[in-house]
Amino acid sequence: MFLDGSWISGSGGKVDVLNPFDQSVITQVDHADDGDVHAAVTAARKAFDAWAAVGVRDRAALLAKVADLLARDKDTIARTETLDTGKTLLESGLDVDDVISVFRYYASIADSDPGRLVDTGNPTVVSRIVYEPVGVCALITPWNYPLLQIAWKVAPALAAGNTVVIKPSEVTPLTTIRLVELLAEAGVPDGVVNLVLGTGTVGATLVAHPDVDLISFTGGVATGKRILHAAADTVKRVTVELGGKNPNIVFADSDFETVVDYALTAVFLHSGQVCSAGARLLVEESLHDALVAEVAARAERIVVGNGLDPASETGPLVSAAHRDKVEAYVAAGLSEGARLVAGGRRPDDPALANGFFYRPTVFDGCRADMRIVREETFGPLLTIETFSSESEALALANDTEYGLAGAVWTLDSARAERVARGLRAGTVWINDYHPYVPQAEWGGFKQSGNGRELGPTGLAEYREAKHIWQNTAPAPLKWFKG
Ligand code: NAD
């Protein structure tokens, strides 16, 4: 744990961190107990006033320094991310590049919005809006993009002058530990950044702590709901970035090779363990047979393997428990009558037998009432539904409790715009899938979450707006005459 500027042992016991490729123990980490969490929050609270008073340019310079250090250590950090999550080294490297750009972006906009003057219509009054940090922020992250998700939180939180207590997923804590080391090396003052490790119990203690002012959480919907309930007791500010069940809509006028290619990357990158994965492929009727045949054939050819092996196109699932969950969904799909056209099994290769591997899986003939269509499987599982009109495509796409992301493929730009505007989701790609930039907001409609990360809104989440009214010519009001 990192507490008030020092690395110390946690009191919650030592826990193995496993490599999902072969179940080997990468290392052990210390988990925190309630007392550790309390100490971390106390350190963050104690450091708050001084850090909030640091000039914004100095805070921005610190973020820029962190970006430089991440660039310096990119290769070792990417390797650690691959060992911990199983994702390919190529993907881990891209994650580190993205994280660097997030730190640089928030360094660049930290001082861009100093507030504003308000015209009250009264010449003897100066009325201003100033922005102040919210306070102590608890930053809680999931296992699929550990470094990326914490960067989206910690960079704007520090830019805005908050102090933080970070709690990464117990499944993949390693690159978050590394990032905290780099924050310390960059010169973050003691107590401004604190790190506690542990399971959801540690997270829950953090969420309930009365000295925490803001929670920024990324993870599953069920956990998000628990956090929203728990945070209500102390009226904390809460941002939740939750799951998705994202539609990828393909009209028949699209370029065939391109949509096949993107249908696969939309869902099978990182073995489907992506909140914005295009897990529901909606295909126009006339294209259906050809598209399904080609997507299924190519899914069968995807090379799964060790993320450190450059030949691997995707890695294992993150844990045994997660693979169990995905296998249960495949069984549910079969029993509900979906037609399995690819995958549906673990790989045969004996070299992968110790890892948590599962083959890319495609179900055709899916209906909106099936569990594999409604629920986030978070695995390499693509469902295919068919539509015959634009309105049917939109209705199917929006028939979900989620609203994180989605895509539409068509050469008809007017239709693309109509569908993009009609989708109830926080991110819509037209003729593309997956790209994001730190300058553009990210977040969910409906049960995919509240609030936004990235972009200027991602900074605003960590600020309070304060109105300061100054009467420059005070004189008795004489409201009460006596
Ligand atoms: P999870 O909800 O199980 O856990 C997320 C984090 O919350 C972990 O650090 C966990 O220890 C902690 N936690 C668990 N119970 C808690 C509690 N009661 N109080 C406080 N903290 C608690 O999610 P996961 O399985 O780690 O991640 C997968 C989920 O994350 C998927 O649903 C995915 O869609 C979502 N996700 C969303 C986004 C997004 O941007 N919207 C990005 C990545 C992942």
Side-chain angles (χ1 to χ4, degrees), residues 140-144 149 152 167-170 198-200 203-204 207 217-221 223 226-227 241-244 275 376 378 404 442 448:
I140 303 176
T141 49
W143 48 257
N144 61 333
Q149 297 299 340
W152 290 15
K167 211 287 295 166
S169 167
E170 61 276 28
T199 64
V207 167
F217 169 79
T218 303
V221 172
T223 316
R226 273 199 289 279
I227 287 175
E241 298 284 350
L242 309 177
C275 51
E376 186 188 47
F378 219 52
L404 188 60
W442 177 269
S448 286

Short mmCIF file of all heavy atoms in Angstrom, two decimals, residues 140-144 149 152 167-170 198-200 203-204 207 217-221 223 226-227 241-244 275 376 378 404 442 448, ligand 1:
data_model
loop_
_atom_site.label_atom_id
_atom_site.label_comp_id
_atom_site.label_asym_id
_atom_site.label_seq_id
_atom_site.Cartn_x
_atom_site.Cartn_y
_atom_site.Cartn_z
N ILE A 140 -12.10 3.79 -7.84
CA ILE A 140 -12.23 2.32 -7.79
C ILE A 140 -12.36 1.78 -9.22
O ILE A 140 -13.21 2.25 -9.98
CB ILE A 140 -13.47 1.92 -6.95
CG1 ILE A 140 -13.36 2.52 -5.54
CG2 ILE A 140 -13.60 0.40 -6.88
CD1 ILE A 140 -14.56 2.27 -4.65
N THR A 141 -11.51 0.81 -9.56
CA THR A 141 -11.40 0.40 -10.96
C THR A 141 -11.57 -1.11 -11.16
O THR A 141 -11.37 -1.89 -10.23
CB THR A 141 -10.03 0.84 -11.52
OG1 THR A 141 -9.02 0.43 -10.61
CG2 THR A 141 -9.97 2.34 -11.72
N PRO A 142 -11.91 -1.51 -12.39
CA PRO A 142 -12.12 -2.94 -12.72
C PRO A 142 -10.84 -3.58 -13.25
O PRO A 142 -9.81 -2.92 -13.35
CB PRO A 142 -13.16 -2.86 -13.84
CG PRO A 142 -12.81 -1.62 -14.58
CD PRO A 142 -12.24 -0.65 -13.56
N TRP A 143 -10.95 -4.87 -13.63
CA TRP A 143 -9.75 -5.62 -13.99
C TRP A 143 -9.42 -5.61 -15.47
O TRP A 143 -8.36 -6.06 -15.87
CB TRP A 143 -9.85 -7.07 -13.52
CG TRP A 143 -11.14 -7.77 -13.87
CD1 TRP A 143 -12.19 -8.01 -13.00
CD2 TRP A 143 -11.55 -8.31 -15.13
NE1 TRP A 143 -13.21 -8.66 -13.66
CE2 TRP A 143 -12.85 -8.85 -14.98
CE3 TRP A 143 -10.95 -8.37 -16.39
CZ2 TRP A 143 -13.55 -9.45 -16.01
CZ3 TRP A 143 -11.65 -8.97 -17.44
CH2 TRP A 143 -12.93 -9.50 -17.24
N ASN A 144 -10.31 -5.11 -16.32
CA ASN A 144 -10.07 -5.34 -17.76
C ASN A 144 -9.10 -4.34 -18.39
O ASN A 144 -8.32 -4.71 -19.26
CB ASN A 144 -11.40 -5.39 -18.52
CG ASN A 144 -12.19 -4.11 -18.44
OD1 ASN A 144 -12.08 -3.35 -17.47
ND2 ASN A 144 -13.00 -3.86 -19.43
N GLN A 149 -8.09 2.66 -16.96
CA GLN A 149 -9.22 3.16 -16.17
C GLN A 149 -8.75 4.05 -15.02
O GLN A 149 -9.39 5.06 -14.72
CB GLN A 149 -10.06 2.00 -15.61
CG GLN A 149 -10.72 1.14 -16.68
CD GLN A 149 -11.70 1.91 -17.55
OE1 GLN A 149 -12.16 2.96 -17.18
NE2 GLN A 149 -11.98 1.39 -18.72
N TRP A 152 -7.81 7.54 -16.36
CA TRP A 152 -8.95 8.40 -16.69
C TRP A 152 -9.47 9.11 -15.44
O TRP A 152 -10.15 10.13 -15.53
CB TRP A 152 -10.10 7.58 -17.27
CG TRP A 152 -9.86 7.03 -18.64
CD1 TRP A 152 -8.67 6.93 -19.30
CD2 TRP A 152 -10.85 6.48 -19.53
NE1 TRP A 152 -8.86 6.35 -20.53
CE2 TRP A 152 -10.18 6.07 -20.70
CE3 TRP A 152 -12.23 6.30 -19.44
CZ2 TRP A 152 -10.84 5.48 -21.78
CZ3 TRP A 152 -12.89 5.72 -20.51
CH2 TRP A 152 -12.21 5.32 -21.67
N LYS A 167 -8.26 2.35 -5.37
CA LYS A 167 -8.48 0.92 -5.05
C LYS A 167 -8.67 0.18 -6.38
O LYS A 167 -9.75 0.18 -6.96
CB LYS A 167 -9.72 0.76 -4.17
CG LYS A 167 -9.68 -0.41 -3.22
CD LYS A 167 -9.84 -1.78 -3.78
CE LYS A 167 -11.10 -2.19 -4.42
NZ LYS A 167 -10.91 -3.47 -5.20
N PRO A 168 -7.58 -0.45 -6.88
CA PRO A 168 -7.72 -1.20 -8.15
C PRO A 168 -8.43 -2.52 -7.90
O PRO A 168 -8.62 -2.95 -6.75
CB PRO A 168 -6.27 -1.43 -8.56
CG PRO A 168 -5.51 -1.48 -7.28
CD PRO A 168 -6.23 -0.55 -6.33
N SER A 169 -8.75 -3.21 -8.99
CA SER A 169 -9.34 -4.54 -8.87
C SER A 169 -8.33 -5.48 -8.22
O SER A 169 -7.14 -5.45 -8.52
CB SER A 169 -9.72 -5.08 -10.24
OG SER A 169 -9.99 -6.46 -10.15
N GLU A 170 -8.84 -6.34 -7.35
CA GLU A 170 -7.99 -7.35 -6.71
C GLU A 170 -7.43 -8.34 -7.73
O GLU A 170 -6.43 -9.00 -7.50
CB GLU A 170 -8.77 -8.10 -5.63
CG GLU A 170 -10.01 -8.87 -6.11
CD GLU A 170 -11.27 -8.02 -6.23
OE1 GLU A 170 -11.16 -6.79 -6.47
OE2 GLU A 170 -12.38 -8.59 -6.11
N GLY A 198 -7.16 -4.64 -2.39
CA GLY A 198 -8.09 -5.55 -1.74
C GLY A 198 -9.33 -5.79 -2.58
O GLY A 198 -9.47 -5.25 -3.69
N THR A 199 -10.24 -6.55 -2.02
CA THR A 199 -11.46 -6.93 -2.72
C THR A 199 -12.52 -5.84 -2.57
O THR A 199 -12.24 -4.75 -2.06
CB THR A 199 -12.02 -8.24 -2.13
OG1 THR A 199 -12.38 -7.95 -0.77
CG2 THR A 199 -11.00 -9.36 -2.17
N GLY A 200 -13.74 -6.21 -2.94
CA GLY A 200 -14.85 -5.28 -2.80
C GLY A 200 -15.11 -4.85 -1.36
O GLY A 200 -15.68 -3.79 -1.13
N GLY A 203 -13.21 -1.83 -0.99
CA GLY A 203 -13.92 -0.79 -1.74
C GLY A 203 -15.12 -0.28 -0.96
O GLY A 203 -15.37 0.92 -0.90
N ALA A 204 -15.87 -1.20 -0.35
CA ALA A 204 -17.08 -0.81 0.37
C ALA A 204 -16.74 0.06 1.58
O ALA A 204 -17.47 1.01 1.91
CB ALA A 204 -17.85 -2.06 0.80
N VAL A 207 -16.09 3.45 0.27
CA VAL A 207 -17.32 4.12 -0.17
C VAL A 207 -18.11 4.66 1.02
O VAL A 207 -18.74 5.72 0.94
CB VAL A 207 -18.18 3.12 -0.99
CG1 VAL A 207 -19.60 3.65 -1.20
CG2 VAL A 207 -17.52 2.83 -2.34
N PHE A 217 -16.24 5.42 -9.88
CA PHE A 217 -16.22 3.95 -9.95
C PHE A 217 -16.38 3.49 -11.38
O PHE A 217 -17.25 3.99 -12.11
CB PHE A 217 -17.38 3.39 -9.11
CG PHE A 217 -17.62 1.92 -9.33
CD1 PHE A 217 -16.80 0.98 -8.72
CD2 PHE A 217 -18.64 1.47 -10.16
CE1 PHE A 217 -17.01 -0.39 -8.93
CE2 PHE A 217 -18.85 0.11 -10.37
CZ PHE A 217 -18.03 -0.82 -9.75
N THR A 218 -15.57 2.55 -11.80
CA THR A 218 -15.80 1.84 -13.05
C THR A 218 -15.88 0.35 -12.73
O THR A 218 -14.99 -0.19 -12.05
CB THR A 218 -14.68 2.12 -14.07
OG1 THR A 218 -14.60 3.52 -14.29
CG2 THR A 218 -14.97 1.42 -15.40
N GLY A 219 -16.92 -0.29 -13.22
CA GLY A 219 -17.09 -1.72 -12.95
C GLY A 219 -18.47 -2.18 -13.38
O GLY A 219 -19.10 -1.56 -14.25
N GLY A 220 -18.94 -3.25 -12.77
CA GLY A 220 -20.20 -3.85 -13.18
C GLY A 220 -21.41 -3.09 -12.63
O GLY A 220 -21.32 -2.34 -11.66
N VAL A 221 -22.56 -3.31 -13.26
CA VAL A 221 -23.79 -2.61 -12.87
C VAL A 221 -24.21 -2.96 -11.45
O VAL A 221 -24.60 -2.07 -10.67
CB VAL A 221 -24.94 -2.95 -13.85
CG1 VAL A 221 -26.26 -2.37 -13.36
CG2 VAL A 221 -24.64 -2.39 -15.22
N THR A 223 -22.42 -3.86 -8.88
CA THR A 223 -21.57 -3.15 -7.92
C THR A 223 -21.89 -1.65 -7.94
O THR A 223 -21.96 -1.01 -6.88
CB THR A 223 -20.08 -3.36 -8.25
OG1 THR A 223 -19.85 -4.72 -8.55
CG2 THR A 223 -19.19 -2.93 -7.10
N ARG A 226 -24.83 -0.95 -5.85
CA ARG A 226 -24.52 -1.03 -4.41
C ARG A 226 -23.81 0.24 -3.96
O ARG A 226 -24.08 0.78 -2.88
CB ARG A 226 -23.62 -2.24 -4.14
CG ARG A 226 -24.42 -3.53 -3.90
CD ARG A 226 -23.58 -4.58 -3.19
NE ARG A 226 -22.55 -5.12 -4.06
CZ ARG A 226 -22.76 -6.08 -4.96
NH1 ARG A 226 -23.95 -6.60 -5.10
NH2 ARG A 226 -21.78 -6.51 -5.71
N ILE A 227 -22.91 0.73 -4.80
CA ILE A 227 -22.14 1.93 -4.44
C ILE A 227 -23.07 3.15 -4.38
O ILE A 227 -22.98 3.98 -3.46
CB ILE A 227 -20.97 2.12 -5.42
CG1 ILE A 227 -19.90 1.07 -5.13
CG2 ILE A 227 -20.41 3.54 -5.38
CD1 ILE A 227 -18.73 1.04 -6.08
N GLU A 241 -19.24 4.37 -14.07
CA GLU A 241 -19.08 3.93 -15.46
C GLU A 241 -19.27 2.43 -15.45
O GLU A 241 -18.42 1.69 -14.94
CB GLU A 241 -17.65 4.24 -15.96
CG GLU A 241 -17.31 5.71 -15.97
CD GLU A 241 -17.96 6.45 -17.13
OE1 GLU A 241 -18.52 5.80 -18.03
OE2 GLU A 241 -17.90 7.69 -17.11
N LEU A 242 -20.39 1.97 -16.01
CA LEU A 242 -20.77 0.57 -15.80
C LEU A 242 -20.70 -0.22 -17.10
O LEU A 242 -19.97 0.14 -18.01
CB LEU A 242 -22.14 0.52 -15.13
CG LEU A 242 -22.23 1.41 -13.87
CD1 LEU A 242 -23.63 1.39 -13.29
CD2 LEU A 242 -21.21 0.99 -12.82
N GLY A 243 -21.45 -1.29 -17.16
CA GLY A 243 -21.30 -2.21 -18.27
C GLY A 243 -21.98 -1.75 -19.55
O GLY A 243 -22.52 -0.65 -19.64
N GLY A 244 -21.93 -2.62 -20.55
CA GLY A 244 -22.57 -2.33 -21.82
C GLY A 244 -23.02 -3.61 -22.50
O GLY A 244 -22.57 -4.70 -22.15
N CYS A 275 -15.89 -3.12 -22.01
CA CYS A 275 -17.23 -2.62 -21.69
C CYS A 275 -17.98 -2.17 -22.94
O CYS A 275 -19.19 -2.28 -23.01
CB CYS A 275 -17.14 -1.48 -20.69
SG CYS A 275 -15.98 -0.21 -21.20
N GLU A 376 -24.80 -8.69 -20.08
CA GLU A 376 -23.39 -8.49 -20.45
C GLU A 376 -22.62 -9.77 -20.12
O GLU A 376 -22.44 -10.09 -18.95
CB GLU A 376 -22.81 -7.31 -19.67
CG GLU A 376 -21.40 -6.96 -20.11
CD GLU A 376 -20.75 -5.91 -19.21
OE1 GLU A 376 -20.83 -6.05 -17.97
OE2 GLU A 376 -20.15 -4.98 -19.75
N PHE A 378 -19.48 -10.29 -21.17
CA PHE A 378 -18.11 -9.81 -20.96
C PHE A 378 -17.07 -10.85 -21.41
O PHE A 378 -15.98 -10.93 -20.87
CB PHE A 378 -17.88 -9.44 -19.50
CG PHE A 378 -17.04 -8.20 -19.35
CD1 PHE A 378 -17.37 -7.04 -20.01
CD2 PHE A 378 -15.91 -8.20 -18.55
CE1 PHE A 378 -16.60 -5.89 -19.88
CE2 PHE A 378 -15.12 -7.06 -18.42
CZ PHE A 378 -15.48 -5.91 -19.08
N LEU A 404 -24.05 2.22 -23.37
CA LEU A 404 -22.67 2.72 -23.33
C LEU A 404 -22.19 3.15 -24.71
O LEU A 404 -21.70 4.26 -24.90
CB LEU A 404 -21.74 1.65 -22.74
CG LEU A 404 -20.31 2.12 -22.47
CD1 LEU A 404 -20.28 3.28 -21.48
CD2 LEU A 404 -19.45 0.97 -21.94
N TRP A 442 -16.57 10.25 -22.43
CA TRP A 442 -16.89 8.83 -22.44
C TRP A 442 -17.83 8.53 -21.27
O TRP A 442 -17.56 8.97 -20.14
CB TRP A 442 -15.60 8.01 -22.26
CG TRP A 442 -15.85 6.52 -22.20
CD1 TRP A 442 -16.08 5.77 -21.08
CD2 TRP A 442 -15.90 5.62 -23.30
NE1 TRP A 442 -16.27 4.46 -21.42
CE2 TRP A 442 -16.16 4.34 -22.79
CE3 TRP A 442 -15.75 5.78 -24.68
CZ2 TRP A 442 -16.28 3.22 -23.59
CZ3 TRP A 442 -15.86 4.66 -25.49
CH2 TRP A 442 -16.12 3.39 -24.93
N SER A 448 -25.86 2.14 -18.05
CA SER A 448 -24.41 2.10 -18.25
C SER A 448 -23.68 3.16 -17.44
O SER A 448 -22.44 3.20 -17.46
CB SER A 448 -24.07 2.24 -19.74
OG SER A 448 -24.39 1.04 -20.42
P1 NAD B 1 -16.77 -5.26 -10.44
O1 NAD B 1 -17.97 -4.38 -10.33
O2 NAD B 1 -16.87 -6.65 -9.97
O3 NAD B 1 -15.53 -4.63 -9.65
C1 NAD B 1 -15.03 -3.35 -9.95
C2 NAD B 1 -14.29 -2.80 -8.74
O4 NAD B 1 -15.20 -2.59 -7.66
C3 NAD B 1 -13.21 -3.73 -8.20
O5 NAD B 1 -12.11 -2.95 -7.79
C4 NAD B 1 -13.90 -4.37 -7.00
O6 NAD B 1 -13.01 -4.83 -6.01
C5 NAD B 1 -14.71 -3.21 -6.48
N1 NAD B 1 -15.88 -3.54 -5.67
C6 NAD B 1 -16.60 -4.70 -5.66
N2 NAD B 1 -17.63 -4.59 -4.78
C7 NAD B 1 -17.56 -3.35 -4.23
C8 NAD B 1 -18.35 -2.64 -3.28
N3 NAD B 1 -19.44 -3.18 -2.72
N4 NAD B 1 -17.99 -1.37 -2.97
C9 NAD B 1 -16.93 -0.79 -3.56
N5 NAD B 1 -16.13 -1.42 -4.46
C10 NAD B 1 -16.45 -2.68 -4.81
O7 NAD B 1 -16.34 -5.19 -11.97
P2 NAD B 1 -15.19 -6.03 -12.70
O8 NAD B 1 -15.68 -7.44 -12.84
O9 NAD B 1 -13.88 -5.76 -12.05
O10 NAD B 1 -15.16 -5.30 -14.12
C11 NAD B 1 -15.98 -5.65 -15.20
C12 NAD B 1 -17.10 -4.64 -15.34
O11 NAD B 1 -16.58 -3.33 -15.51
C13 NAD B 1 -17.94 -4.91 -16.58
O12 NAD B 1 -19.29 -4.83 -16.25
C14 NAD B 1 -17.54 -3.79 -17.51
O13 NAD B 1 -18.51 -3.47 -18.47
C15 NAD B 1 -17.27 -2.68 -16.58
N6 NAD B 1 -16.43 -1.67 -17.21
C16 NAD B 1 -17.00 -0.48 -17.59
C17 NAD B 1 -16.24 0.50 -18.23
C18 NAD B 1 -16.85 1.81 -18.66
O14 NAD B 1 -16.11 2.68 -19.10
N7 NAD B 1 -18.16 2.00 -18.58
C19 NAD B 1 -14.89 0.26 -18.46
C20 NAD B 1 -14.34 -0.95 -18.06
C21 NAD B 1 -15.12 -1.90 -17.43
#
